[in-house]
Amino acid sequence: LIGSGAVGQGLLEILRSKADELQQEYGFTARVVAVVTKSRGALYHPQGLDIAQIIAALKAGGLAHYQATAERDWDALRLARDGQFDVLIEASPTDLQTGQPALDIVRAALTNGKDVVLANKGPVAVAYAELRALAAANQRHLRFEGTVMGGTPSIRLALQALAGCRITQVRGIVNGTTNYILTQMESGQAYDTALAQAQALGYAETDPSGDVDGWDAAGKAAILSALIFNKRLDVAQMSVQGISGITAASVAEAAAQQQRWKLIATITPDGGSVQPVRLPISNPLAGVSGITNAITYTTDLLGDVTLIGPGAGGVQTGFALLSDLLDIQRLRG
Amino acid sequence: LIGSGAVGQGLLEILRSKADELQQEYGFTARVVAVVTKSRGALYHPQGLDIAQIIAALKAGGLAHYQATAERDWDALRLARDGQFDVLIEASPTDLQTGQPALDIVRAALTNGKDVVLANKGPVAVAYAELRALAAANQRHLRFEGTVMGGTPSIRLALQALAGCRITQVRGIVNGTTNYILTQMESGQAYDTALAQAQALGYAETDPSGDVDGWDAAGKAAILSALIFNKRLDVAQMSVQGISGITAASVAEAAAQQQRWKLIATITPDGGSVQPVRLPISNPLAGVSGITNAITYTTDLLGDVTLIGPGAGGVQTGFALLSDLLDIQRLRG
């Protein structure tokens, strides 16, 4: 496990609290052999670490608080190259421009014959085609359910459950912060007030531009374009518009016409964009409120299929990592 | 392939029109070795039949019009017992009381070491636990995506994509006919007018009671209860109420309070019911219009996850059969 933020801790918490259930229902037992963080230490023990102790150590401030035996001088790249393990889980912070340092770590793990599961959007947004080919060449699995809509299985729906359909368009509400702000504005709040409330609740950063200017949504659009249309979108070249220009008056005007403003990422085989769109309330995406996310896949055989669920959260995205692990186990038979 | 109605023909049409695409993208090639119908003849040829000719023969009135070589005296049970094939596809008419004659055919195929894919709700609603155990004992796959929400992958979502979550409640709009009628009533139509229109469009039968009295939804609730909660619900013992008591006035009254009437199947570990419910428009199920279906899974780790899509249709449910075939191929590696 690379990274020990909310998502990594969410996964560890699930593995601890659901150990019996996962064993009984899926025959799944997790052995965590390494946790490597950037600033909170590292642990490695090929025979397995104590998950409850890892959680306690992280809560106490860092892995130095872990008492049991472990090697503590491994970095992520060395682990990916030379460690003994089955699956590398990448849950360190995202860099949408370079994908680094996670990209090199993922490359090393696949080359070293390991399966890879990512919650980190960077490597997938920047180099999906390369990583997919590298995984295939090494006969390894590459999974990344947590990179879009957190734990809501939007990627598994597109790639597995809709396999056999041709997806012709993707439209999604893939940023919860902006959807929360727009929802608050429908009850009459001004943009600035709604943003301040989102910050107070921890949904938006102190510098909210990554969310409100549409860049987070654009990164997810790039991932969806790569995996569904085999087309790399450069976020810097995309048409991206945020929600800061939407006024309380335009929200009220839309409501009067049975419409709602939503920040929509649209991806087709020809490209992608992120734009505020006025949707009629009969559109399933129009009914998605608060921090909830949603994606509509338009397909040849089924028409529109829409999935609605949480788009972030440590436990929720931790579940995405677990679901990828279960999928890999399922394919191993 | 047992059955040659809209769903069976939908599958054949997809296999014909997408043959190249399925081969290229999934390495999937279908060989149809038998088609057995109740009143339109039977074909069996272990080396494979001509799919385009089967479609043409059915359009011309029956399999007697099929020109190429085939044995024509096999019935479904004999085929399931003694035929040479990999997967039995059951798409004959549904009997929610007994599951027959499909139930005995499915039993025979599993016992004979064949994988089974069903669009027919009967055997799953009546005997899921038995069939699941029989499949496991014979190390065979049993799939039935087409039994709930047509081709929209509601079952794959619950059993595979949400694996690792505990589902605590299921709520769904699982009958398109009643949802169409309720949607029409929102624009001011009386119940009788809306029903007549649904009949004119082919959404409702001449005797509409299976839909409007809630029995079709109850059958789907029984399937969801069996597969998600391992609990058999007897449709005859369930609390089932249809939509015929809903008036234009009560629809208008709900709208005035920002609510919508929906026919909701609810399933928990304790049981199931089908009832008209007034949902606030902030509920994702409230925004589901016309013949579209939807299901909300309430889970421990993700909260609510909602899937919206088509709930019926020959091509759509034919796709469900294809997606089950692709899933089986995927597991075979």
Side-chain angles (χ1 to χ4, degrees):
Chain A
L1 171 61
I2 313 298
S4 63
V7 172
Q9 290 188 48
L11 173 64
L12 292 169
E13 192 56 58
I14 293 169
L15 293 178
R16 189 193 62 76
S17 64
K18 288 208 165 198
D20 292 347
E21 181 182 329
L22 293 171
Q23 171 56 36
Q24 283 163 28
E25 297 209 4
Y26 308 101
F28 177 87
T29 307
R31 190 152 52 109
V32 178
V33 297
V35 180
V36 177
T37 75
K38 197 175 175 200
S39 55
R40 296 200 280 179
L43 299 171
Y44 175 51
H45 194 314
Q47 305 309 312
L49 300 163
D50 182 310
I51 294 175
Q53 271 204 45
I54 301 170
I55 295 170
L58 288 170
K59 284 196 176 137
L63 297 171
H65 296 275
Y66 184 86
Q67 299 296 324
T69 306
E71 298 177 44
R72 293 164 191 266
D73 59 347
W74 288 66
D75 65 29
L77 201 56
R78 181 181 161 210
L79 186 80
R81 269 196 205 116
D82 303 325
Q84 291 176 44
F85 61 94
D86 296 318
V87 186
L88 180 120
I89 300 173
E90 226 307 335
S92 70
T94 290
D95 181 327
L96 282 176
Q97 302 300 315
T98 68
Q100 297 292 8
L103 179 52
D104 283 340
I105 295 165
V106 171
R107 285 175 175 140
L110 290 171
T111 305
N112 185 24
K114 309 305 189 190
D115 295 325
V116 171
V117 170
L118 295 110
N120 184 337
K121 289 186 279 294
V124 188
V126 169
Y128 172 69
E130 175 206 329
L131 295 177
R132 184 185 176 186
L134 191 59
N138 288 279
Q139 296 185 285
R140 292 295 88 192
H141 299 295
L142 175 69
R143 291 289 183 276
F144 42 91
E145 183 61 71
T147 60
V148 178
M149 277 182 84
T152 306
S154 55
I155 292 176
R156 192 147 285 125
L157 178 63
L159 295 190
Q160 292 178 13
L162 293 177
C165 279
R166 183 163 292 281
I167 296 174
T168 54
Q169 185 184 57
V170 183
R171 298 184 95 195
I173 296 169
V174 291
N175 179 272
T177 308
T178 47
N179 203 56
Y180 175 83
I181 293 171
L182 292 172
T183 303
Q184 291 302 107
M185 289 174 76
E186 281 176 27
S187 56
Q189 278 190 4
Y191 172 79
D192 289 340
T193 312
L195 172 57
Q197 192 163 331
Q199 288 171 319
L201 289 165
Y203 299 154
E205 313 275 332
T206 312
D207 172 3
S209 58
D211 289 320
V212 300
D213 291 343
W215 298 111
D216 173 74
K220 290 162 182 165
I223 292 172
L224 291 165
S225 176
L227 66 92
I228 292 173
F229 299 121
N230 293 314
K231 175 166 180 162
R232 193 183 160 199
L233 288 185
D234 186 341
V235 168
Q237 306 293 321
M238 267 171 75
S239 168
V240 177
Q241 189 184 336
I243 62 163
S244 57
I246 300 194
T247 62
S250 62
V251 168
E253 186 191 318
Q257 296 176 39
Q258 306 276 337
Q259 295 178 330
R260 282 184 176 145
W261 280 107
K262 293 292 176 189
L263 185 66
I264 301 291
T266 304
I267 309 103
T268 71
D270 298 324
S273 67
V274 175
Q275 309 285 349
V277 176
R278 277 170 64 156
L279 297 176
I281 57 167
S282 59
N283 185 312
L285 295 181
V288 176
S289 301
I291 57 166
T292 303
N293 283 16
I295 287 188
T296 298
Y297 296 110
T298 301
T299 70
D300 57 349
L301 298 178
L302 296 178
D304 284 358
V305 175
T306 300
L307 183 68
I308 303 172
V315 168
Q316 290 85 347
T317 311
F319 163 73
L321 296 170
L322 171 67
S323 76
D324 283 342
L325 294 172
L326 290 172
D327 189 47
I328 289 172
Q329 170 177 276
R330 185 167 176 263
L331 290 176
R332 286 180 175 172
Chain B
L1 171 61
I2 313 299
S4 63
V7 173
Q9 290 189 47
L11 173 64
L12 291 168
E13 192 56 58
I14 294 169
L15 294 178
R16 190 192 61 75
S17 63
K18 288 207 166 200
D20 292 346
E21 180 182 333
L22 294 171
Q23 172 57 35
Q24 282 162 28
E25 297 208 5
Y26 308 101
F28 178 87
T29 306
R31 190 151 52 110
V32 178
V33 298
V35 179
V36 177
T37 75
K38 197 174 174 202
S39 56
R40 296 199 281 180
L43 299 171
Y44 174 52
H45 194 313
Q47 306 309 312
L49 301 164
D50 182 312
I51 294 175
Q53 270 204 46
I54 301 170
I55 295 170
L58 289 170
K59 284 196 176 137
L63 296 172
H65 296 275
Y66 183 87
Q67 298 296 324
T69 307
E71 297 178 45
R72 293 164 190 267
D73 58 347
W74 288 66
D75 66 30
L77 201 56
R78 180 180 162 211
L79 186 79
R81 269 197 207 115
D82 303 324
Q84 291 176 44
F85 62 92
D86 296 318
V87 186
L88 181 121
I89 299 173
E90 226 306 335
S92 70
T94 291
D95 182 326
L96 282 176
Q97 303 300 316
T98 67
Q100 296 293 9
L103 179 52
D104 283 340
I105 295 165
V106 170
R107 285 175 175 141
L110 290 172
T111 306
N112 185 23
K114 309 303 188 189
D115 295 324
V116 172
V117 170
L118 295 110
N120 184 337
K121 290 186 278 296
V124 188
V126 169
Y128 172 69
E130 176 206 328
L131 294 178
R132 185 185 175 185
L134 192 58
N138 289 279
Q139 297 184 284
R140 292 294 88 191
H141 299 295
L142 175 70
R143 292 289 182 280
F144 42 91
E145 183 61 72
T147 59
V148 179
M149 277 182 84
T152 305
S154 55
I155 292 175
R156 194 146 284 124
L157 178 63
L159 295 191
Q160 292 178 13
L162 293 177
C165 278
R166 183 162 292 283
I167 296 172
T168 55
Q169 186 185 57
V170 183
R171 298 184 94 195
I173 297 169
V174 292
N175 179 271
T177 307
T178 47
N179 204 54
Y180 175 83
I181 293 171
L182 291 172
T183 302
Q184 290 301 108
M185 290 174 75
E186 282 177 26
S187 55
Q189 279 189 5
Y191 172 81
D192 290 339
T193 312
L195 171 58
Q197 191 162 333
Q199 288 170 318
L201 289 165
Y203 301 153
E205 313 275 332
T206 311
D207 172 3
S209 58
D211 289 320
V212 301
D213 292 343
W215 297 111
D216 172 74
K220 290 162 182 166
I223 292 173
L224 290 164
S225 176
L227 66 94
I228 292 173
F229 299 120
N230 294 313
K231 175 166 177 161
R232 191 179 164 202
L233 288 185
D234 185 340
V235 168
Q237 306 293 319
M238 267 172 73
S239 167
V240 177
Q241 189 185 336
I243 63 162
S244 57
I246 299 195
T247 62
S250 62
V251 168
E253 184 190 320
Q257 296 175 39
Q258 306 276 334
Q259 295 179 329
R260 282 186 176 143
W261 280 107
K262 294 292 175 189
L263 185 65
I264 300 291
T266 303
I267 310 103
T268 71
D270 298 324
S273 67
V274 175
Q275 309 285 348
V277 177
R278 276 170 64 154
L279 296 177
I281 58 167
S282 59
N283 186 311
L285 295 181
V288 176
S289 301
I291 57 167
T292 303
N293 283 17
I295 287 189
T296 298
Y297 296 110
T298 301
T299 70
D300 58 350
L301 298 179
L302 295 179
D304 284 358
V305 175
T306 300
L307 183 68
I308 304 172
V315 168
Q316 290 85 346
T317 310
F319 164 73
L321 297 169
L322 170 66
S323 75
D324 284 342
L325 294 172
L326 290 172
D327 190 46
I328 290 171
Q329 171 178 273
R330 185 168 176 262
L331 291 176
R332 286 179 175 175

